[in-house]
Amino acid sequence: MYRARGQQQIGVMRRLPLLLLIWGVAALAMWIPAVYALTLDDHETSRSFFYSGLLGLFVVSLIALALLNREPRRGTLGQLAVMLSSFTILPLFLAVPLYEALGNTSFLNAYFDMVSAVTTTGADLFPDPDRLNAPLHLWRALVGWLGGLLMWIAAAAILAPLSLGGFEVTARGQPGRPVSGVAQSERVDPRGHLLRVTRTLAPVYAGLTVVMWVLLLVAGEMGLTAVCHAMSVMATSGISPVGGLEGSTAGITGEAILFLFLFFALSRLTFSTDTATSGYARLDKDPEFRIGILIVLAVAALLFFRVLAGVAELGLQVEPLQALHVIWGMVFTVMSFLTTAGFESANWNDAQQLSGLGTPGLVLMGLALIGGGVATTAGGVKLLRVYALYLNGKREIDRLIYPSSVSGEGGGNRRIQSDGAFIAWIFLMMFALTLGVFDLLLAIFGVGFEQAMVLSVAALSTTGPLIELATDVPIRLIDLSGGAKLTLCAAMVIGRLETLAIIALITPALWRD
């Protein structure tokens, strides 16, 4: 009887609109900071979250009852539209308790902060951590964590069937069109496929977060900081309740724990093989993972030699232990920005002060633009597209030397389709054009060229901490005009969904198909 009742409840859930289900999850999540605020005797904040969540569940229940007898529309393109709504419309609801509990900011600022969190950008509108109380810090990290979970699930259930989000480079099909293979089950039952992916990945995502949280607590981290950093690393949002790792009490041990879990943003094969093609189920053979490690080591080495050159110019000497700390700071920070998490090592500033050199902002921006692995929570162009362009460049150089040669790499690179490099190049050009458009829009709203470039790169690569670290003088988001903030919101949404997905949504031919 219980089994039949459970199947009946699942059947009811499958009939409800996807956006309504996500809205319900967000409403339930509001009770977590409400309970936490209650334990801290912060009744005003607790009431803000509790009543907001209760109101959200009430509205969701009413809409669900009204739509219960309607047959839901099938199709992954409609689910892609739900993702767009989750990043644009849902933050209006998520911002309500933040606006009510904070009480000294505008609703636009609260909306901007929630868009930044749910897209895993982590742009800090409130640079002073003391301005927000503990439950609000927990809410920001929790929204970012849920946004990362949404991307984990959507990658396999929505983006892969449509050959978007980096999958257009692999041997799948035309971007925006369902194909065989991964999409076969989706074409028959897209909602069922989505639920199966959710049941598979959600426990893994939550379990890894709990493990990291416990390890940080063992390393000596404070409770709130540990859980926020654990959720922020899994979601690569870079949200911190203490202003970054400089306020952490876990020291280098805590950074080492975070570093290990950042590997999950380099390749999806670190936690799942649901989107792997034949022959690429092994992590050591995965091109994304290998090129990611290569970039981290190469850039960290170049930055370390840059520090040594600055030290030599000043006539100073570096102790061996000090050099090890500098190397660790370089490796961790490079890894963090490549995966678009944006956490800065506590030893990063020591290296700058030691050498007398400024922050290598262009290097950090370049790492953020490259981004992490396909189908992970990382943003940017993605390592698989970079790998496809590398293979094409290598092949073209070989043809300059041997014009009549025949490539023998096809068997070893079965993951890249024949036109993969061309599609990757098209995406790169579209990314550059989008970057230019947002630079121009921010300039219209009175933002300077350098600041507009940093803001656009940070938003499109979903690397919010880049705003504070890429320039010598941190950019204060709170001082931007309302138009500039809305422009950045649009950039963060486009950076999260990517330009090809937006084009697929506005293409009438794909909807007719």
Side-chain angles (χ1 to χ4, degrees):
M1 180 179 68
Y2 292 106
R3 184 176 181 181
R5 183 179 299 176
Q7 291 178 350
Q8 183 180 5
Q9 292 176 348
I10 293 175
V12 172
M13 295 280 289
R14 293 176 65 169
R15 295 180 63 87
L16 295 178
L18 181 57
L19 182 60
L20 204 62
L21 296 177
I22 297 175
W23 191 356
V25 172
L28 287 173
M30 289 182 179
W31 287 354
I32 297 177
V35 173
Y36 180 55
L38 189 61
T39 61
L40 298 178
D41 290 331
D42 188 354
H43 297 282
E44 184 177 352
T45 302
S46 180
R47 284 193 296 268
S48 298
F49 280 100
F50 177 77
Y51 289 131
S52 297
L54 188 62
L55 178 62
L57 289 177
F58 178 73
V59 174
V60 166
S61 300
L62 289 180
I63 299 176
L65 289 175
L67 300 178
L68 197 58
N69 293 326
R70 294 189 179 184
E71 188 68 24
R73 295 182 179 181
R74 299 184 179 274
T76 312
L77 203 59
Q79 294 177 349
L80 187 62
V82 170
M83 287 185 61
L84 179 61
S85 301
S86 300
F87 294 136
T88 54
I89 299 175
L90 188 62
L92 292 171
F93 172 63
L94 300 175
V96 172
L98 177 65
Y99 172 72
E100 291 292 336
L102 194 55
N104 57 359
T105 189
S106 65
F107 188 80
L108 176 59
N109 289 340
Y111 174 76
F112 178 93
D113 197 64
M114 288 297 98
V115 171
S116 172
V118 78
T119 57
T120 71
T121 302
D124 202 347
L125 193 68
F126 311 106
D128 184 10
D130 295 332
R131 185 176 178 183
L132 305 180
N133 56 29
L136 292 181
H137 282 299
L138 177 62
W139 176 239
R140 295 180 70 243
L142 181 60
V143 170
W145 185 79
L146 291 174
L149 175 61
L150 178 62
M151 290 307 301
W152 261 35
I153 296 171
I158 301 176
L159 299 180
L162 290 174
S163 299
L164 295 171
F167 293 102
E168 72 279 356
V169 179
T170 61
R172 301 295 189 201
Q174 296 299 320
R177 298 183 181 275
V179 291
S180 60
V182 174
Q184 193 63 39
S185 61
E186 182 276 335
R187 297 179 71 178
V188 177
D189 185 13
R191 182 62 63 88
H193 181 58
L194 179 64
L195 292 177
R196 286 192 296 271
V197 172
T198 302
R199 288 197 299 266
T200 302
L201 292 182
V204 177
Y205 189 77
L208 290 173
T209 306
V210 171
V211 170
M212 187 174 8
W213 178 24
V214 173
L215 290 176
L216 288 174
L217 290 175
V218 172
E221 191 64 88
M222 301 297 292
L224 176 64
T225 307
V227 68
C228 289
H229 284 179
M231 290 191 291
S232 298
V233 166
M234 288 306 302
T236 64
S237 64
I239 297 174
S240 173
V242 291
L245 297 183
E246 291 185 354
S248 172
T249 58
I252 196 170
T253 304
E255 290 187 6
I257 295 171
L258 299 181
F259 181 81
L260 290 177
F261 283 86
L262 284 174
F263 281 99
F264 289 102
L266 282 183
S267 171
R268 192 175 179 86
L269 291 182
T270 53
F271 57 87
S272 176
T273 58
D274 55 353
T275 59
T277 54
S278 59
Y280 276 99
R282 290 178 51 183
L283 185 61
D284 60 334
K285 299 293 185 180
D286 183 49
E288 285 187 306
F289 189 80
R290 296 170 67 177
I291 196 173
I293 297 297
L294 178 63
I295 291 175
V296 169
L297 295 178
V299 175
L302 290 176
L303 290 177
F304 179 67
F305 287 131
R306 174 179 177 269
V307 171
L308 291 182
V311 170
E313 185 176 352
L314 295 175
L316 303 176
Q317 291 183 350
V318 182
E319 299 294 333
L321 183 60
Q322 195 176 24
L324 290 177
H325 282 285
V326 170
I327 293 174
W328 168 251
M330 298 295 181
V331 171
F332 179 88
T333 305
V334 169
M335 178 71 163
S336 179
F337 276 86
L338 180 65
T339 56
T340 69
F343 279 112
E344 177 191 14
S345 173
N347 296 308
W348 177 261
N349 286 331
D350 296 339
Q352 310 309 314
Q353 295 174 1
L354 181 66
S355 61
L357 300 174
T359 301
L362 285 177
V363 175
L364 298 180
M365 291 171 62
L367 290 170
L369 284 176
I370 293 174
V374 166
T376 65
T377 56
V381 175
K382 303 294 175 56
L383 290 169
L384 187 60
R385 296 188 180 102
V386 174
Y387 179 68
L389 293 174
Y390 158 75
L391 289 180
N392 184 72
K394 182 175 179 295
R395 174 60 186 151
E396 292 300 322
I397 292 176
D398 291 340
R399 291 180 62 185
L400 288 175
I401 302 174
Y402 302 105
S404 301
S405 64
V406 178
S407 175
E409 296 181 349
N413 296 311
R414 287 172 294 178
R415 189 174 182 182
I416 309 298
Q417 64 161 306
S418 58
D419 294 330
F422 175 74
I423 298 175
W425 178 254
I426 292 296
F427 176 85
L428 186 62
M429 292 298 100
M430 292 173 59
F431 191 93
L433 288 175
T434 306
L435 180 63
V437 168
F438 280 105
D439 284 342
L440 180 60
L441 291 176
L442 289 173
I444 292 175
F445 290 110
V447 182
F449 174 76
E450 181 181 0
Q451 292 182 337
M453 179 63 69
V454 173
L455 290 172
S456 299
V457 171
L460 290 175
S461 64
T462 66
T463 315
L466 187 68
I467 297 172
E468 297 184 8
L469 299 178
T471 57
D472 295 331
V473 179
I475 303 172
R476 286 177 54 86
L477 294 174
I478 197 72
D479 295 333
L480 297 178
S481 64
K485 291 175 183 176
L486 290 177
T487 301
L488 286 178
C489 287
M492 288 186 285
V493 173
I494 292 177
R496 182 73 280 180
L497 278 181
E498 296 188 351
T499 314
L500 287 177
I502 302 297
I503 292 177
L505 282 173
I506 61 177
T507 303
L510 297 181
W511 285 98
R512 287 195 296 267
D513 292 341

